[in-house]
Structures are given as structure tokens and as C-alpha cells.
Amino acid sequence: MHAKATIQVNTKQVSKDRINPYLFGHFVEDIRDHMDAMLAYPLSDMDFESLDGTYRGLSGRWRPYTNGKSTVFALEPAATYHSGHSQMVRIYSDDEAYAGIRQAIAVKEDQHGYELALYARASVEIKFLTAEIVDAASGEVLGSTSIEIESHNWKQYVSRIKVSRLCEQAEFRIYVSAEHDRWRDNVSTGMLWLDHISLLPSDRVGNVRKEVVDMTRDLNAGMMRLAGNYISAYHWQQAIGPVNERPCVMNEAWGGWTNKYFGTDEFIQFCRDLQVEPLICVNDGSGTPEEAAEWVEYCNGSLDTPMGKLRAANGHAEPYNVKYWEIGNEVWGPWQVGHCSAEQFADRYVRFAQAMKAIDPEIKLLACGDDKQDWNQILVERAAEHMDYVTLHLYHGYNRFGMNDRTPKEERYKAILTYPEWTRESVRKVRELFNSDSRYTHLKLAITEYNTMYYPNTIRKGLPNEHTLEAAAANAANLNEFIRNSDLIEIGSFSDLVNGWLGGCIRVGDFYADQFRGKSSGRSENSLTIYGTPTYYVMKMYANRDLGYVVQSQTECGSFSVNSLVPTAPKLENLPNLDVVACCNADGDKLTIFIVNRSLEDTVTEVQLDGFVESGTARLLALTGEHADAFNDVRHPEAVVCEGFDVSVVSAQVTCELKASSVYVLEVTR
């Protein structure tokens, strides 16, 4: 037996507020392996920045490549204007050996050739280097190049290495071959120095993986946010200009090195490649209003401004015209650099806003809000005239219910699927605040981070909960709530785009980030497999629709309830199994109905179209799986994907069989 439901769409009841395409935005942050996964560089420790670890005198993941018993490796001062270190290799002629360094990498076939760039200097008797990519298991050379060393001084060399086939267990080697003329061992012979070695495939887009760009372009994101905890200790001028001259800086928020290869110019290029609006969060933690104002000037200033000149010197003469700027990321949290009270932040916010607006009065400013309204109350009382948006971060997990992995699964499932009810309550409180004073009525809401979080069950036990069909259904229902409140919510940023945080919707390889433990073990050596989670398909389904305005609808269906231990929890009784929102496009000739079946049983649903069309064919997009725990991985990257079907319209009605824990989009065109 199937459950039954009815959805009645009232096509004459249309809201007056346009749905903003920025509602379906995304978010990049230098966190965990986000940048490693997103960027196209196969090598790590390209500046030899890490100190000697496992092997004496070698940096990070670099390993010795030599058959000489006397070869010496050492980290020495970097090349001129570089940071990190240089790698010295000392070869002794009596060994009659080859000597250099190697690193394990994964490569794909590239007949145009990976671009190899490096800085090198050598003692005068070393005339050339060999660089090659080999299959580490078989020793097969997949591609190689020879580099003539032209000087005893530092010099940049660029070449290409054609790669004959994909290899997950490859090795990059650069070395002085044994074919060199012999020399008499002396203090000034047999010495090679290397710095800033990088490889990039020929098909990359900027320095981002082509596959990531292609998948992100399909998301039609509208807006891309550059932010996160790391921003509050991030100084933007450290990541502009030639990458080899950018300093190596520790990531104070998340540990390890800050990725210096994806700075302002690369982020803007990424947004331009995707045709989305950039949103930049400035450093209000360790930074200053003057620094933030200079960032605005770098992005938006003309060539007669100091920062505009600097941008042009870096190869970008035309202003970027970045319109949206966020001040403060989770400043209310003690984990945040610059954490302070609401009063202190409001005063700080005003100083930042005034400095930034003095550079460009046309920019839109977002102020860091909190789900706790006492913070927001103080913030808007003191600074409402200086802001356009208040931000919220809305993560949903078991902590709201006192649950863990020992709680019965069905109870946990119901708890996660109440995501929209919690969002609704948060938005209601903000709406109430904004309506309480005429000084606040111009304000809009930006949800600059959101996702299912499954906290506190952060130890995976083999199952990536944030990537399941269940998580996708919860995120879809939450998006329905955003759409229902689109008169107030104009910006959304799904957290994260690639790997990194708990639920990056694009997955590169099979490292699952964990909130406290970084990358988990269990790599399958499918590091080049790139795929979308079920939530990726939800975001793609929603953002690629022709949406204009919300249309009123009513739903009759079964219900469920769940208990929460949080005193301020919303009402969680008799919640509808189907979470539904209907929209029409600006021309009024397309009706789009988003339906999330939050129950664990299939439901036969009649969708009554109120005479929008009487008969014909509609399109039904479905995201379903064998069960709520279904997910995609490197071995089964398309276990859960969106599929499309034609369905009949009979007597202004469509009948759909909605599978359990699934997401649907019904499109009707007249």
C-alpha cells in the first residue's frame, strides 16, 4: 500500500517579490583539502615550504631519487623574492650516480602536455636535468622532458611533459642523470638547487581542475562566496602577484599552509569563468578597516588609484567591480580570530563599513549576524544604516535532539528532515526584528553558510552521512524554505563547493573530510574520480529552473513528529511528509513545483494545477535511490543522480508516485 497525498496549486495567488538567483550560491574556503581538491596542481610542497619530516633534508612529500651512496639533500634559503626554501641536491662524481627528487602524484592522459615550471640553478658542470612522470608500480615512463640549465644563477624554466595515459599511482621525478660527464669531487661541483616546481594539466581552467569548473558551471550558482574562518586571519595582499613571490603563510584557522595559489585574482577569474557574482568576506579579525578598504580599491578602483595600479601591474587593467562584501564571519564564535561581543562587533563593523564605502559607495555590505537574536538586536540597533544584509549560518544536526549513532535510525532520519522547520523559526525571528523598527525595514537576509552537519556523529564509521540521499532531501526541504521566504532571503551559500568541510557537494577522490580529524583513511586510489553527491544534484535541479515568483499552494498528506531537547526549538509535531513550494516564471507560462518526500514510504500524489493547463505533457525530475542511506562514491559515482520523465496532464492534474526520501521537480509549461 502506498500513502496518498494531494497538492493544490493556486496559480492566481502569486507573490510580488522576485526570487533572487543568488539564493542558490556556493562557497569556497581554504579548509582541509578544499583547495587541494579544487585546484589542478598534482604536486604538493611546490615551494619546499614544509620542514624536514620523514627524510633528512627533504621537504614535505618530496622523497629522494638517487642511486648514489653519497648524495646529500638539504633545505636551503629560497630563490630571490621567493618564500619557503630551495631544495639542494649534492651529487658526488665517484658514485657515478643519478640524483634528484621525486613525489607520488596522480595524472591523467594529456597529449598536449602538463606544463612544468620551476626555478633552478646548478654548479657549472651540470648542463641539463631530466623531468619525467612514470608509473611507480611498473616503472613505465609516461612522459619526459629535458631541461637545459643555462646559468649558475637562479632562472625560471618552463617545459611540457606529454602523458600517455591515466595513472593513479604515478611519480614525478626531476634529477641529474647518470649520463653527465664526470667531474672531480670538489666543494663547488655536483650541486643542484630547485625552487617552486609546479605541474598543471593543459586542460585546466586558470589553475582549477577542468572537471570541477564544468560541474560547477552546471550548478548555475548565481553567486560564489570567498570566506570562512580562515578569512579572519587572511591578509589579501599576501596572495596577489606572481605566485612564486607570494609568501608561504600558515592557515591559522585550520592548520597547515594557506593556499597561496588561489588569491583574489584567481577567485575573480573563477567567478568570471562561471559567470557568477563574487561575494568576498574581509578580514575583520586580525585585519583593519584600511586593509579592507584597500581590498575594495584593488577590486574596484580605477587605474589612477594606488590599488588599481597594483591590480593593473598584476595583469588586470579593468576593475573587477565586486559589488557584494561581507564583514565578519561567525564573529560571535570563540573559535574565530577577532571573536568579541555584539557591542564590540557593531562598533568595529561601522568602522569597516565606512572605510569600504568611502572607496566605493555602490557596494552592498553584509554584516555578520547570529541565530541568537540578542546579537542581531544589538548589531542592527547600532549599525543598521551601514548595512544591506544581515547574515546567518544554518547548520542542522543531531545536537538539536540529543541524538547520536545509537539513536534508532528512523528517529534520526525524522530529526534531520526537520531542517526547514528550524530555518523557518530562525527566519521568523529575524523578520520580526526587521519589522520592529522603520530603521531596519531595508535590510535583507543572507544565509551565507548552510548544510546538514550530522553533529555530533562526526566519526564516519564507513558512511559519509553528509553525502547521502537523506542529506540531499533535508537540504532540498531547506531550499524550499528559502524560496518561501524569498521576499527576505536573497543570498544563499551552500557549504562547501569541493571536499573540504563536511559536505562539499563536488567530490574529488574519496577523502571524506571530518570536522575534527581532517582526512580519513581508506583511500581507494581513485583520486582523479570527480563526481557529485546527491546534494549536488539537488542544487543543480533547483538553480537551473526558470523561477520568478512564489505561487501559493496547499498540501494534504501524512505527517510525522519528533522531539527536541532545545528549549527554543520550533514546533515539531504533525509536520507534513511532503515539503512543497510552487513557483512561476516571470512570463507566467511555466509552473515549477518542488516536492520533497520526507517520509520513508512511497506516496502517490495528485498535483492539481488550478487550470494552469488542462492536458498535455509535463516534465518530472526525480532524485531517488534504493534507500535513504544511498550515496555516490568513487566506485559508484552515479548511484544517485537526477533523472527526467515525461508525465501526463489530465483534467488539470498530474499524478506522481513519489518514492521515499526523494526530491522532485515538476515543470508544467503552457
Side-chain angles (χ1 to χ4, degrees):
M1 293 290 292
H2 292 308
K4 295 185 181 297
T6 302
I7 299 170
Q8 173 65 56
V9 182
N10 302 321
T11 57
K12 297 178 180 60
Q13 299 294 317
V14 180
S15 68
K16 61 181 179 60
D17 298 287
R18 187 77 179 261
I19 298 169
N20 196 318
Y22 299 160
L23 209 59
F24 309 107
H26 285 263
F27 168 38
V28 296
E29 178 182 4
D30 191 354
I31 178 175
R32 304 287 192 255
D33 62 342
H34 190 300
M35 292 300 173
D36 292 341
M38 185 174 83
L39 300 185
Y41 301 99
L43 288 170
S44 299
D45 281 295
M46 293 183 280
D47 293 282
F48 305 98
E49 61 269 28
S50 299
L51 295 177
D52 183 0
T54 305
Y55 289 87
R56 181 177 297 175
L58 287 166
S59 172
R61 288 178 55 189
W62 292 101
R63 298 292 181 262
Y65 182 64
T66 182
N67 64 341
K69 67 179 190 301
S70 304
T71 304
V72 174
F73 300 90
L75 294 177
E76 296 196 351
T80 309
Y81 305 118
H82 292 208
S83 65
H85 308 89
S86 66
Q87 179 70 63
M88 189 275 285
V89 182
R90 176 80 193 275
I91 314 159
Y92 286 86
S93 182
D94 285 349
D95 283 350
E96 298 187 0
Y98 59 84
I101 56 176
R102 60 190 172 90
Q103 187 177 134
I105 60 173
V107 291
K108 56 189 179 181
E109 180 182 348
D110 193 335
Q111 293 301 325
H112 294 286
Y114 275 71
E115 182 180 275
L116 169 65
L118 69 146
Y119 284 78
R121 62 184 291 259
S123 51
V124 296
E125 71 284 346
I126 295 179
K127 303 299 184 184
F128 68 93
L129 301 179
T130 299
E132 61 188 20
I133 296 172
V134 302
D135 184 321
S138 68
E140 176 192 354
V141 177
L142 306 176
S144 66
T145 187
S146 182
I147 300 168
E148 294 185 13
I149 300 299
E150 300 175 2
S151 176
H152 186 248
N153 293 319
W154 284 111
K155 180 178 173 59
Q156 185 179 33
Y157 298 90
V158 178
S159 186
R160 286 194 175 273
I161 302 178
K162 294 182 179 181
V163 178
S164 59
R165 62 173 174 82
L166 181 147
C167 184
E168 286 277 358
Q169 295 176 303
E171 188 172 87
F172 170 77
R173 301 169 179 170
I174 186 163
Y175 60 96
V176 178
S177 75
E179 282 70 47
H180 261 288
D181 293 338
R182 298 299 103 197
W183 53 82
R184 178 173 294 182
D185 291 338
N186 188 281
V187 70
S188 61
T189 59
M191 302 181 77
L192 168 68
W193 290 266
L194 300 167
D195 199 356
H196 189 74
I197 303 178
S198 67
L199 278 173
L200 278 171
S202 62
D203 67 350
R204 89 272 187 185
V205 182
N207 62 355
V208 182
R209 295 178 191 262
K210 178 182 183 298
E211 299 88 344
V212 168
V213 171
D214 289 345
M215 289 188 68
T216 307
R217 188 177 287 118
D218 289 344
L219 286 171
N220 192 30
M223 177 174 279
M224 189 66 63
R225 176 180 183 249
L226 179 69
N229 286 352
Y230 90 105
I231 281 287
S232 65
Y234 174 83
H235 300 283
W236 66 273
Q237 289 205 43
Q238 295 174 341
I240 59 172
V243 292
N244 54 284
E245 297 182 10
R246 299 176 187 180
C248 297
V249 179
M250 291 301 294
N251 187 326
E252 296 178 37
W254 300 112
W257 296 101
T258 294
N259 190 294
K260 70 180 190 178
Y261 302 96
F262 195 74
T264 302
D265 300 302
E266 289 81 12
F267 172 66
I268 297 298
Q269 185 58 54
F270 183 55
C271 292
R272 297 295 184 255
D273 290 335
L274 298 171
Q275 298 184 328
V276 300
E277 190 76 20
L279 165 61
I280 295 177
C281 185
V282 301
N283 176 1
D284 78 313
S286 62
T288 65
E290 294 74 22
E291 182 182 17
E294 287 181 337
W295 202 354
V296 174
E297 186 175 281
Y298 184 83
C299 290
N300 298 353
S302 63
L303 295 179
D304 59 1
T305 64
M307 294 299 105
K309 288 180 181 176
L310 180 59
R311 184 193 64 244
N314 290 331
H316 309 280
E318 294 300 316
Y320 292 140
N321 297 318
V322 177
K323 184 176 181 180
Y324 293 87
W325 295 83
E326 188 174 359
I327 301 174
N329 180 87
E330 298 181 0
V331 187
W332 34 263
W335 54 85
Q336 189 72 41
V337 174
H339 166 61
C340 62
S341 68
E343 291 84 356
Q344 290 169 321
F345 174 69
D347 294 343
R348 182 199 300 172
Y349 173 87
V350 171
R351 294 195 300 273
F352 272 76
Q354 289 174 333
M356 295 165 70
K357 283 272 193 177
I359 297 297
D360 186 349
E362 301 303 314
I363 60 175
K364 298 289 187 180
L365 293 179
L366 289 71
C368 172
D370 188 11
D371 198 32
K372 299 178 178 62
Q373 295 307 310
D374 52 351
W375 173 282
N376 297 335
Q377 180 75 52
I378 293 167
L379 177 62
V380 297
E381 281 179 358
R382 294 186 176 221
E385 291 80 5
H386 299 276
M387 64 184 68
D388 301 286
Y389 296 85
V390 172
T391 70
L392 293 182
H393 290 179
L394 301 176
Y395 289 102
H396 183 62
Y398 296 142
N399 58 321
R400 291 170 159 174
F401 305 89
M403 294 179 176
N404 56 36
D405 56 357
R406 294 182 297 277
T407 306
K409 167 128 189 76
E410 186 170 339
E411 291 303 308
R412 285 184 285 145
Y413 174 85
K414 290 190 292 185
I416 291 297
L417 269 294
T418 65
Y419 198 175
E421 279 73 28
W422 292 85
T423 294
R424 184 177 308 140
E425 181 64 11
S426 297
V427 174
R428 183 194 67 77
K429 292 175 181 177
V430 173
R431 187 186 294 277
E432 188 176 79
L433 172 60
F434 288 178
N435 290 335
S436 68
D437 192 308
S438 60
R439 293 173 54 227
Y440 313 151
T441 54
H442 69 286
L443 294 173
K444 297 293 184 181
L445 192 55
I447 314 297
T448 53
E449 291 185 29
Y450 70 93
N451 200 346
T452 52
M453 193 168 167
Y454 286 84
Y455 179 83
N457 184 29
T458 54
I459 300 174
R460 290 293 165 269
K461 300 186 186 302
L463 181 64
N465 291 336
E466 280 81 14
H467 310 139
T468 61
L469 179 60
E470 171 186 305
N475 280 311
N478 186 59
L479 278 176
N480 285 353
E481 190 62 28
F482 285 8
I483 294 171
R484 283 189 284 266
N485 288 278
S486 55
D487 63 315
L488 183 64
I489 305 174
E490 291 191 345
I491 293 172
S493 304
F494 178 79
S495 172
D496 278 352
L497 180 65
V498 185
N499 286 34
W501 188 235
L502 296 175
C505 68
I506 296 173
R507 305 304 300 180
V508 176
D510 56 354
F511 289 116
Y512 288 112
D514 181 277
Q515 185 179 11
F516 301 115
R517 296 171 180 262
K519 302 170 189 175
S520 68
S521 61
R523 184 181 177 191
S524 72
E525 301 304 334
N526 288 290
S527 63
L528 295 177
T529 301
I530 302 175
Y531 61 95
T533 67
T535 296
Y536 169 85
Y537 291 100
V538 164
M539 301 300 296
K540 184 177 175 181
M541 289 163 71
Y542 275 66
N544 282 287
R545 308 277 69 79
D546 183 10
L547 305 182
Y549 305 92
V550 174
V551 176
Q552 189 182 83
S553 63
Q554 291 87 34
T555 303
E556 294 182 8
C557 61
S559 63
F560 67 100
S561 301
V562 64
N563 295 319
S564 171
L565 301 180
V566 178
T568 57
K571 182 182 177 183
L572 298 175
E573 298 176 353
N574 299 317
L575 306 181
N577 284 341
L578 301 188
D579 190 292
V580 179
V581 65
C583 311
C584 67
N585 64 350
D587 294 333
D589 59 1
K590 179 176 285 187
L591 186 65
T592 302
I593 306 164
F594 298 100
I595 310 168
V596 181
N597 184 1
R598 297 195 287 179
S599 75
L600 288 171
E601 59 180 342
D602 296 350
T603 303
V604 175
T605 303
E606 294 179 352
V607 184
Q608 300 171 1
L609 302 175
D610 193 26
F612 185 78
V613 294
E614 289 296 327
S615 61
T617 301
R619 189 70 174 163
L620 183 68
L621 304 178
L623 186 73
T624 67
E626 293 183 2
H627 46 74
D629 290 334
F631 65 96
N632 299 330
D633 62 19
V634 289
R635 296 181 182 86
H636 310 95
E638 296 185 346
V640 181
V641 297
C642 177
E643 297 181 296
F645 308 91
D646 289 333
V647 292
S648 298
V649 181
V650 179
S651 301
Q653 180 174 295
V654 176
T655 300
C656 310
E657 183 176 320
L658 308 180
K659 292 187 176 181
S661 185
S662 296
V663 182
Y664 294 85
V665 181
L666 178 63
E667 286 187 323
V668 185
T669 304
R670 63 183 178 188

